[in-house]
Structure formats: structure tokens, C-alpha cells
Amino acid sequence: MSAITDVDGVLVGHHHRIGDGWVTGTTVVLTPDGAVGGVDCRGGAPGTRETDLLDPSNLVERVHAVCLTGGSAYGLAAADGVMRWLEERGHGFRVGSGAHEVVPIVPAAVLFDLPAGQWGNRPDAGFGYRACEAASGGRPAQGCVGAGAGARTGGLQGGVGTAGVSTPSGYTVGVLVAVNAAGSAVDAATGLPWAADHEVDGEFALRAPEPSEGGRAGAVAPPEPPLNTTIGVIATDAALGKAQCRRLAGAGHDGLARALRPAHTMTDGDTLFALATGAGDPVADHRVLDELCAAAAACVARSVVHGVLAATAVPGSSVPAYRDRYPAAAP
Amino acid sequence: MSAITDVDGVLVGHHHRIGDGWVTGTTVVLTPDGAVGGVDCRGGAPGTRETDLLDPSNLVERVHAVCLTGGSAYGLAAADGVMRWLEERGHGFRVGSGAHEVVPIVPAAVLFDLPAGQWGNRPDAGFGYRACEAASGGRPAQGCVGAGAGARTGGLQGGVGTAGVSTPSGYTVGVLVAVNAAGSAVDAATGLPWAADHEVDGEFALRAPEPSEGGRAGAVAPPEPPLNTTIGVIATDAALGKAQCRRLAGAGHDGLARALRPAHTMTDGDTLFALATGAGDPVADHRVLDELCAAAAACVARSVVHGVLAATAVPGSSVPAYRDRYPAAAP
């Protein structure tokens, strides 16, 4: 599928509301049986929960879901609903003798989409719960869905994108991001995404516009106030330890650096999580880890491109989608 | 008062439920006008939210409340209610032109008290909201209240403690902790708290028991499973930058080291926040910061002692309070 759900055991669900003053949503990446987790937070304005436990020196190894959500810090409430959904099914860190005595581990990160909808309309616990109910192992919807419903980037609509790849060692790496960067994903001089060169098997289906076309379109003014933050998850079926997962998450930020200019600003809360579902001993050869990290960076870059290409105009918003702004290039 | 509320602009509120299968609660430390914030998380099993933004290299400087709560990771929901209370009053980081367009910054940390009550009974957003409604600048209640309602430590009841002091430079430092450590706050050989020597002005009112009395009482078996985690807030009226606040929070952990044996275990989520309410330029003389840090460490140690001394037997629990276990020493 070339998606995060290429990784066995990884499910994705979206829930969003668009219309009637609402433009926001939540995406959950579910690993109900637990995946070793890591995080790297490199934006200047993050909104997060349950990231401290992912420090490699800390106790808890396994994560049961990652919650990505709109709503700025208010949206952290969505993770409450993800926890409830997992608890009802007995998924979590065991803290007692009963099968129901679990504490689901649900790290979360938010993006800032509050100006996209009416004040007060942001994800709550119900969004997280419904995103779990919608989760499946199929190819996730992209564009203005889930946590990307209200996303914008560099004056264009942002959104959810996903990509996957097999590494030379035979592992699968998949990524899902919600692109809402203060920076731009598109080179205004050419009309092409900065990371278009990361394309695999013609996946972007872009047409190279005449240089004059790109120049004619020109730079797109960022919205005021600018929205911000790109958040995402990197998953792999390799067996990794927590410290290795943190490195994988860090490598993903190289993908953001390639796909967004600028990336990691003081108003971006850019945060990437890594989940490793593989059983057995962690990868021992650092060259294999480097392969996974390179794949993570590339898949993050590709996912950003997919998120922008899949985005569509949102009712009530004057922000154009890439496909409307650069029709000569768009697929 | 010798309390965290000695610091101007700092309010404290508790909300808890004890009885009918409930033994848990939430404590909020409110700085509605904003205080520069820092955090240091040194336990091996933390449950936190909004700690990444406190990194000194990140954008947001000011915190509007810290939420301390029981309920393990489920209890993070209490912070949703703290955010709502603050938003309704227009307190928060401004994100739009309207006075109501704010995002309250509410870092939070949890302690593990789930075995104290019936499964499923843990703080939700309503606990955080009601703790805010109860907040005042008076001397906070101590013992089995708020986040300390279900707290235990080393086989005794734990609880909330607070202490304050003036530094030689004329600043005020105040601390509030909820003591639920896996380790013990009491030297079983003497029956006295490890940090009894940090007493100021006879505040503990302890009587030194005969050595034989301490020996007779002997070590108290820790509960199985052990509860764990000590969380707290250090406040000062000095003007500090974010990096200085992080150092102040770190110094507080020296107080935990003195007051708890062991401290900072792999199952403790020990997390301390620091809030600086002072206006103007941050303290420039590192010796003044060292004074504040020494005061923070001492006040944390004293607060742990107060939390244990103030604890009382909780209905339905077989865990003794210090005053019942060591009557010859207790005030």
C-alpha cells in the first residue's frame, strides 16, 4: 500500500468534523498489543503528553497508541478517549492481577489549527474514541482528514500523508504525518514540492510545469496568524529498543527538514514518534539501524508531499489547496 | 504560613473523593497571570503532559497552572478541566485578537494510586475544574487531600505537604509535594523521618523516641504492589528565566533524595515543576540562583516530612499513618 499500515500490527483511524464551524480532527495510530516507542520533539512550541516515559532510561517500553490531534493543547483531551477505548479492550501496561487492570500508554502530540474553525470547536475525548473505532489496517485516507482536517502549510491546505518502503535488510518502514507547518512544502519558483525528488514509483504523478508557470503562481502568502506544527509517527516491523526508537524518530526530522522550508520554527511543535513492532532481540547491527533511519527520513519527506497533494479546499476556508493553486503541476 | 502560597500570586486548590470505593484526587497550583516555568523529571515511570514546551529552547515561557493528580495516566484528564476553568476566565497564551482566544498552559504529572480505590475510580476533567474552584492563597490543607488522597509511601500513608522559606537575598521559595514514593520517608531504626533534620522553627513537633521504641516498631513492609511517584511544584517570587526554572526544579530533586530512601526508582514517576512569578529581568547573579536552589531542596525535603506527618488513616485502607505507627515520635 505504501502506507504506515504496511507495518504488521499497525492500525490507523481518523475522526474529524468539517462544517458548521468545525474544521478539526484526530488521528490515532493503534498498536493494541504494544510497540516499543520513542519520540523526538524538535519544534519550538510543542503540545504533548506522555513523552517523558519514552526516555530510554525510563521503565515503560511499550506504547499502545499514538494520538495525533488538532485543537492545540485543548486537543490533548482526545488521548483520554483513546485510553478509554484501549482500557475497555484490556490493552495496556498491566498494573494488577485482573486482566482489566491496565494503564494504556498513549503518547500524544497536537497541532495548532484553532483559527480554522469557530473558537471552542476542538477535539475532545470523543474524537479519540471514535478515531479508534474507525481504525483499520487498510490504507489510511489522506489530505484533510483526522488530525489534518484543519491543517495548513505555507499558505496552502495541509493534511495527512502516509508512505512506506522496504529496506535492503527486508524490514518495512511506514510513516504517517499531519502537515501543518509554518513553513512551505512547495518551491514557489517551480510550483513543485521541495521533496518531490523523494518520489518512489511515480507515486506523486506530478507534471513539471514550465518554469514560467511556477513563477507566475509565485509565492503564496502564509495565513495570518500562521498555523503551525507537523506531527507524525514512524513505524517499523524491526525489533528495536527504546533508544533505537528515539534515534528513528530523530531521523524522521531529517525528512521534515527536506520537505519543509523553514522547518522546526519556534512556532512549530514538530514532534515525531517511532513505534517498533518486531519481536525478539533488538537489531544489533548499527548499519541496519542506519537503513531504517534513512528510510524513515525518506518516508517522512514523501508523507509530507502526499499530505499536501491530497489536501482539498475546505468549506468556508479561503486557503487554496495545492491542486487548485498549481493545476499545471498537480496530478 | 510556611507554604507554597507564601509566594505572591500562587493559589492552591484540592479536590478529592474518599469513600464509596474512591480514594484519589487532584491538586492544582494556579498562577492565572502566568509564571515562568520549568520541569525536571527524574523518576523512571513518569506520567506527564506539556513538559516538552518547558524546554528552555522552546517558545512558551509562562505557565498558568500545574496540575498534580492521582489516577496514574488516566488522571491526566484532570488537566483538561484546569484548562477549561482558565479559558473561561481568559487566562492563557494568547493566540488571537479576542480576549477569549487563549490556550492555557497547564503542565501536569500523575502519581500511581490506582490500587487504593476501586478500579475505574480516578480523577477526570471535573476533578481539575473543581480543584480550581477551591483554589485560594491561604495555607493549603496537607495530608490525604487532593493529589495525596490515595498516596502511600514505604508502607505508610503518604500525602500532600508544603513548606516555605525566605532566602538571604529576600526572595520567597515555597513548595508543595504529593508524596507517594516507593521508598520510605522514615528511618525505621529511629522512627524519625529521614529529613527531620531539615526542620525550621520546630515545625515538625516531633519527639525523639527512645532508640528501643524505634527498633521495636521496626521496618514497615511496603504495600504490594507498591504505589509510587512523588510530584510537586517549587514556586518563587524571584524573576527567573526558563533555564533557571529548570535548574530550580532539578535542585528540588536533591530534597527528594534526602527525604526518601530510595528515591527516584524505576517505578517512581518523580517529577518536579518550578514556577517563577517575579517581574523584570531574570536573576543575573548565579549565587542568588544557588540560594534559591538550596532553599528549594530544603523545602522539598520539609514538604515530604509534612506530607507524611499530616497523613491520616484512610477509610477502608489497612495502611497505617505515621502518627499511628510511631505514636512515641509523632506530634
Side-chain angles (χ1 to χ4, degrees), chain B residues 6-317:
Chain B
D6 290 345
V7 178
D8 278 344
V10 174
L11 312 175
V12 171
H14 298 304
H15 181 75
H16 51 258
R17 282 190 68 178
I18 298 176
D20 296 325
W22 286 82
V23 193
T24 191
T26 299
T27 296
V28 64
V29 178
L30 278 176
T31 49
D33 296 326
V36 178
V39 66
D40 191 7
C41 171
R42 293 210 199 162
T48 57
R49 75 187 243 178
E50 294 289 51
T51 51
D52 289 313
L53 66 84
L54 294 175
D55 182 294
S57 72
N58 287 341
L59 178 72
V60 172
E61 298 271 346
R62 298 182 89 78
V63 164
H64 306 94
V66 172
C67 180
L68 307 174
T69 184
S72 188
Y74 295 110
L76 292 174
D80 301 333
V82 178
M83 289 188 70
R84 180 162 63 87
W85 189 91
L86 287 162
E87 183 200 7
E88 289 173 357
R89 287 151 185 82
H91 297 299
F93 183 85
R94 302 218 166 272
V95 296
S97 53
H100 63 291
E101 293 179 285
V102 295
V103 177
I105 305 300
V106 184
V110 308
L111 57 78
F112 183 73
D113 60 359
L114 297 181
Q118 277 179 18
W119 187 261
N121 290 348
R122 51 232 178 185
D124 59 10
F127 275 62
Y129 192 89
R130 290 188 204 101
C132 291
E133 289 191 307
S136 84
R139 182 172 174 76
Q142 299 183 100
C144 300
V145 296
R152 301 171 187 171
T153 181
L156 297 174
Q157 288 295 146
V160 167
T162 188
V165 75
S166 294
T167 69
S169 298
Y171 294 113
T172 300
V173 172
V175 165
L176 181 143
V177 300
V179 187
N180 189 52
S184 175
V186 176
D187 178 358
T190 65
L192 293 175
W194 293 113
D197 61 324
H198 282 67
E199 183 174 46
V200 174
D201 293 338
E203 63 187 329
F204 301 145
L206 289 161
R207 291 163 290 155
E210 295 297 315
S212 61
E213 290 186 89
R216 206 162 55 237
V220 184
E224 192 56 47
L227 306 191
N228 46 59
T229 297
T230 300
I231 50 182
V233 178
I234 299 151
T236 182
D237 56 3
L240 299 179
K242 280 179 83 179
Q244 293 173 316
C245 282
R246 184 160 84 178
R247 181 150 288 272
L248 192 65
H253 282 282
D254 289 353
L256 293 187
R258 294 175 193 158
L260 297 165
R261 299 192 188 183
H264 304 123
T265 73
M266 283 296 279
T267 59
D268 282 306
D270 301 343
T271 301
L272 296 176
F273 299 91
L275 301 175
T277 64
D281 291 333
V283 162
D285 184 339
H286 70 81
R287 292 167 297 187
V288 174
L289 184 59
D290 278 342
E291 282 180 8
L292 295 168
C293 286
C299 285
V300 166
R302 292 164 56 207
S303 295
V304 169
V305 176
H306 281 300
V308 171
L309 295 186
T312 48
V314 170
S317 167

